[in-house]
Amino acid sequence: MTVHADRPTEPSVAGATATHDAPPPSRRLGRSLPAVAVLVLLVLLAAVPLFLAPFEANTLSRILVFALFAVSLDLLVGITGLPSLGHAAYFGVGAYTAGLVSIHWTSEAPVPVLLAAVAGAVAAAATGWLAVRSGGVYFLMLTLAIGELVHQLAQSLSDVTGGSNGLFGIPSVRVGGEPLTLAGYVYWYILAVALLGFLGLWLVAHSPFGGVLRGIRDNEPRMRSLGYSPFRYKFVAFTIAGGFAGLAGGLLAGLVRIVNPSDTGFTTSALILLAVILGGAGTLWGPVLGAAVVVLVRDTFGPQLDGHGPLLLGVVFVVAVYVLPRGFAGLSGLFGRRQRFPGGPA
């Protein structure tokens, strides 16, 4: 009689390895929560016109427009490390382009906003090749000068832009030949285009190209020693940011159906930079919250305060700088640390 020794079965070892490598349920749940939160947020945003009055829907439409504008600036400020005081120039170029296309050619979507994005990118490329050669305060001054130049052109070229009276008489956006006259339909149109814009900027920021931009922001000499050309990368980022700013300007023209020279001026550039700082530069989603605060304070609460909206906005900014130095996005890091160290100090 032959006795065979028992051999350890390989499946048990593999099963033990699989069990050891499998992440705990809490970690899997933590990874799925952001996707679930984004899905719930999208459903809520899509359902907004079903529950809100036209004025509130128009306010949310403006928030979406300026949120896309702010995120395009965050690609420069937070990702590339190029704070700009003239980003409204490309926003205004896009708005004027969309308005002129709608008046003289067609308002059929998405033609005006696509041409607005192209015009913003071309304007950014035409001026960025000079601006990105500088840095620090010199870059700030150059972008400020570019913005003021575009602002003066918008006022002086009255035959094209309408001058100080603005470009008015812009027809409603058409989809399938039908004009979007109801606030809810306009909101859905702006939401769809803005989400595509957010997705495009997110893909750029999280691509290898975006990684190089962060490296240039953190240590430009080291990236240059590794063989990268900071000028080329910053120039492309500047052009992309200008294109998405033009896209946001095209949405604004379709929403309010009038474009003013002030849309290209320093005040608009300063407000959108304020939105980026309030929300948290470099996060992409933080400037969305900052833009919402700016629009609500300026357009909703401002008229109720006898025109003291800018004063309230200044107070909010000063408080946020001291209380939230990293913007609203810094709160997520604070909560994350408290979850990792529940016994830590409050």
Side-chain angles (χ1 to χ4, degrees), residues 265-323:
F266 169 75
T267 302
T268 304
S269 294
L271 283 176
I272 211 64
L273 182 59
L274 170 64
V276 173
I277 296 173
L278 280 177
T283 60
L284 296 184
W285 63 268
V288 175
L289 301 180
V293 171
V294 170
V295 172
L296 289 175
V297 171
R298 187 189 66 174
D299 298 342
T300 302
F301 302 134
Q304 301 176 5
L305 299 174
D306 296 329
H308 292 90
L311 176 62
L312 177 60
L313 194 60
V315 172
V316 170
F317 178 68
V318 171
V319 172
V321 166
Y322 281 96
V323 179

Side-chain angles (χ1 to χ4, degrees), residues 158-169:
S158 56
D159 293 338
V160 179
T161 64
S164 58
N165 293 325
L167 182 67
F168 54 88

Side-chain angles (χ1 to χ4, degrees), residues 66 69-70 73 77 83-92 140 143-148 150-151 261-277 294 298:
F66 282 92
F69 184 24
L73 179 59
V77 178
S84 172
L85 284 176
H87 204 55
Y90 316 114
F91 178 75
L140 280 174
T143 54
L144 175 61
I146 291 170
E148 289 304 302
V150 173
H151 177 66
S262 60
D263 295 326
T264 68
F266 169 75
T267 302
T268 304
S269 294
L271 283 176
I272 211 64
L273 182 59
L274 170 64
V276 173
I277 296 173
V294 170
R298 187 189 66 174

Side-chain angles (χ1 to χ4, degrees), residues 194-220:
L195 288 177
L196 291 175
F198 293 143
L199 177 60
L201 287 165
W202 186 88
L203 291 175
V204 170
H206 291 81
S207 66
F209 174 79
V212 175
L213 293 180
R214 290 183 175 87
I216 294 173
R217 175 199 64 191
D218 296 336
N219 197 330
E220 182 173 335

Side-chain angles (χ1 to χ4, degrees), residues 6 19 66 75 199 239 284 341:
D6 293 336
T19 304
F66 282 92
L75 181 64
L199 177 60
T239 303
L284 296 184
F341 305 105

